[in-house]
Amino acid sequence: MLRITDLVKRYAGGDPVLKNLDLTVEGESVVSIIGSSGAGKSTLLRCINKLVEPSSGSIVLNGMELTTLKGRKLREARRKIGMVFQGFNLVDRLTVMENVQSGRLGYISTWSAISRRYPKQDIRRAYELMERVGIAHYADKRADELSGGERQRVGVVRALMQEPEILLADEPTASLDPKTSEQIMQLLRDLARELSLPVLINIHNVAEARQYTDRIVGMRYGRIIFDGPPAELDETAMDRIYSGSPAADRASPQPEPVS
């Protein structure tokens, strides 16, 4: 379970990007975060894996408080937080297998990583996951020879190689064509079920959020102003998420988190 309580992120000299935010994600649920650019969606994900440092508040993953971790303990905790990126973040000159194995860097020795001598069980697991997402036949191809959808599948497998306790996805379909976007969203949904893995997705495409996720969180000006199943995301909620004024949001209480 991921439990976020009273989370604030403020950059020097500016207003808070996240404002006393509460959120709980658990089980095998697939949760989408929607909202206009600047709502704080990406900042929220980056606070969870501490790519940016929260200003205050609590982020607890399966009983571990993440906000206080530093050094080795932080690196160990990050192994349990898989991340799928909009821009794929692959090393183009490396093969698919080598990119996938980078998900094991937190588990193997520096020498094994540099020499690319991966443990047999890691190679076996990589093939299993690549077969599951349909890219096993690309294992020895360079990453820059793949299509966008294939590259994103590599990114998904790399994240799963970490043996994560939660999977974060930051605009995973933004660089893809509509058909491939739907395939990636269906894949994330299926993997959540198969691996009993909670998935938190930052996404602009509301139609995909409605179709492929179990729960939608709507953000505006750093606050959660909608939290519920897709069926409850009506026009009134959409207006508040995408057209609401800062003053209206300050006057509205944050909705009760869905667990």
Side-chain angles (χ1 to χ4, degrees):
M1 174 192 293
L2 175 73
R3 186 179 297 278
I4 299 172
T5 307
D6 206 22
L7 182 65
V8 175
K9 175 57 185 177
R10 182 194 304 271
Y11 293 101
D15 293 332
V17 179
L18 301 176
K19 305 172 183 177
N20 306 102
L21 187 144
D22 296 334
L23 180 67
T24 299
V25 180
E26 59 184 331
E28 57 188 36
S29 60
V30 182
V31 180
S32 56
I33 308 172
I34 65 171
S36 301
S37 297
K41 305 185 303 297
S42 292
T43 299
L44 172 58
L45 294 193
R46 283 161 170 73
C47 281
I48 294 171
N49 60 18
K50 291 197 72 177
L51 290 177
V52 299
E53 191 75 24
S55 300
S56 62
S58 172
I59 304 174
V60 178
L61 178 62
N62 292 334
M64 177 179 293
E65 174 60 65
L66 301 178
T67 59
T68 59
L69 298 179
K70 298 184 183 300
R72 179 177 59 83
K73 290 186 177 180
L74 176 58
R75 291 192 296 273
E76 290 175 353
R78 279 181 173 151
R79 298 188 308 199
K80 299 300 182 182
I81 305 172
M83 187 77 179
V84 178
F85 298 90
Q86 173 183 342
F88 317 127
N89 283 26
L90 305 181
V91 181
D92 285 344
R93 62 183 176 80
L94 297 184
T95 67
V96 168
M97 176 60 80
E98 289 166 339
N99 273 282
V100 164
Q101 289 297 334
S102 68
R104 299 298 296 171
L105 291 180
Y107 295 89
I108 64 177
S109 69
T110 302
W111 169 248
S112 295
I114 293 174
S115 62
R116 300 173 190 171
R117 295 184 177 180
Y118 311 115
K120 290 182 179 180
Q121 64 269 24
D122 289 351
I123 295 175
R124 184 164 52 250
R125 178 58 173 162
Y127 272 115
E128 290 173 355
L129 290 171
M130 288 191 293
E131 183 69 34
R132 169 60 186 84
V133 306
I135 58 170
H137 55 297
Y138 293 138
D140 296 324
K141 291 194 86 171
R142 280 176 47 131
D144 58 6
E145 297 178 36
L146 305 183
S147 69
E150 291 160 353
R151 288 163 66 85
Q152 194 58 286
R153 285 175 170 83
V154 176
V156 171
V157 174
R158 177 185 57 195
L160 294 179
M161 286 293 290
Q162 296 177 218
E163 301 176 21
E165 295 177 2
I166 189 169
L167 185 63
L168 310 179
D170 191 13
E171 294 289 348
T173 64
S175 302
L176 306 177
D177 63 76
K179 181 178 180 179
T180 305
S181 295
E182 293 179 356
Q183 292 172 347
I184 292 297
M185 289 297 292
Q186 183 66 56
L187 176 63
L188 291 172
R189 180 173 181 172
D190 291 345
L191 289 170
R193 303 291 189 271
E194 293 168 18
L195 302 175
S196 297
L197 183 68
V199 179
L200 186 59
I201 305 174
N202 167 14
I203 188 170
H204 274 297
N205 191 317
V206 176
E208 289 180 356
R210 290 181 189 272
Q211 183 173 355
Y212 295 105
T213 67
D214 306 306
R215 173 181 160 204
I216 297 176
V217 173
M219 292 185 64
R220 180 78 171 174
Y221 300 115
R223 299 183 187 275
I224 293 176
I225 59 174
F226 175 86
D227 188 345
E232 293 181 7
L233 185 69
D234 56 18
E235 289 304 314
T236 300
M238 289 286 289
D239 285 344
R240 289 194 61 219
I241 294 168
Y242 290 100
S243 304
S245 67
D249 288 330
R250 285 195 296 270
S252 301
Q254 185 164 274
E256 291 295 325
V258 175
S259 59

